[in-house]
Amino acid sequence: APMREDDEARSDGSDEQGELYCRMEHAKTLTSILQCLSSTGSHSGSRHREQHCQVEATPAGMTFVVTGRGKTTQCQAAVPAEAFSDYRCSAELVRFGLSLPHLVECLQCLTLSGNTGGRLTMHRRGGGGGFSLTLE
């Protein structure tokens, strides 16, 4: 399920050339983490649908950061590289933005089949090439 990156996130000096590839054996793990972020940082009504998260990936792992209307950090969750069965980050920092509600919805749809939801692969291509999310 391809997702479009948040154009706003690319204007902040993020590394456009960096590439991120990671695989998690059980999609339910990441789904649960992001659901917590979504409910913690959610706004009532339609504002919830506009909630964005900044993804900051380093060779040590990924951090999902949700900011409030005042551009201050509301909440964040760090997922270490060791939580993934395969994790590769080609730059010291790869930063991009995603719609948190859309990401959570995609993961929920992919994991509705019950149990652990299968193997999850996320790939952010360098050079502004986009973000893809795949469930096997």
Side-chain angles (χ1 to χ4, degrees):
M3 296 186 63
R4 210 177 115 200
E5 289 183 44
D6 180 0
D7 293 332
E8 185 179 301
R10 283 188 257 157
S11 65
D12 64 2
S14 59
D15 184 351
E16 286 292 313
Q17 303 307 314
E19 185 166 345
L20 170 69
Y21 175 87
C22 54
R23 179 178 291 231
M24 187 173 272
E25 294 304 314
H26 305 290
K28 193 82 166 169
T29 305
L30 187 63
T31 304
S32 297
I33 292 168
L34 295 177
Q35 281 176 320
C36 289
L37 272 184
S38 183
S39 61
T40 302
S42 68
H43 303 287
S44 60
S46 64
R47 298 286 304 163
H48 172 72
R49 305 295 304 157
E50 301 168 14
Q51 185 181 32
H52 293 279
C53 73
Q54 188 80 0
V55 180
E56 298 174 352
T58 67
M62 296 172 68
T63 302
F64 296 86
V65 181
V66 176
T67 55
R69 283 191 251 170
K71 300 292 181 188
T72 58
T73 300
Q74 261 189 329
C75 55
Q76 66 181 20
V79 183
E82 296 79 27
F84 297 92
S85 56
D86 186 6
Y87 183 88
R88 291 174 270 170
C89 183
S90 69
E92 286 302 310
L93 176 64
V94 176
R95 185 180 307 156
F96 56 98
L98 294 173
S99 165
L100 184 58
H102 289 124
L103 179 57
V104 169
E105 282 178 24
C106 283
L107 288 168
Q108 286 174 332
C109 288
L110 296 173
T111 59
L112 277 180
S113 59
N115 42 40
T116 59
R119 182 179 303 150
L120 171 72
T121 303
M122 293 186 290
H123 185 202
R124 196 280 187 167
R125 289 170 289 287
F131 176 82
S132 65
L133 176 70
T134 307
L135 186 74
E136 299 173 23

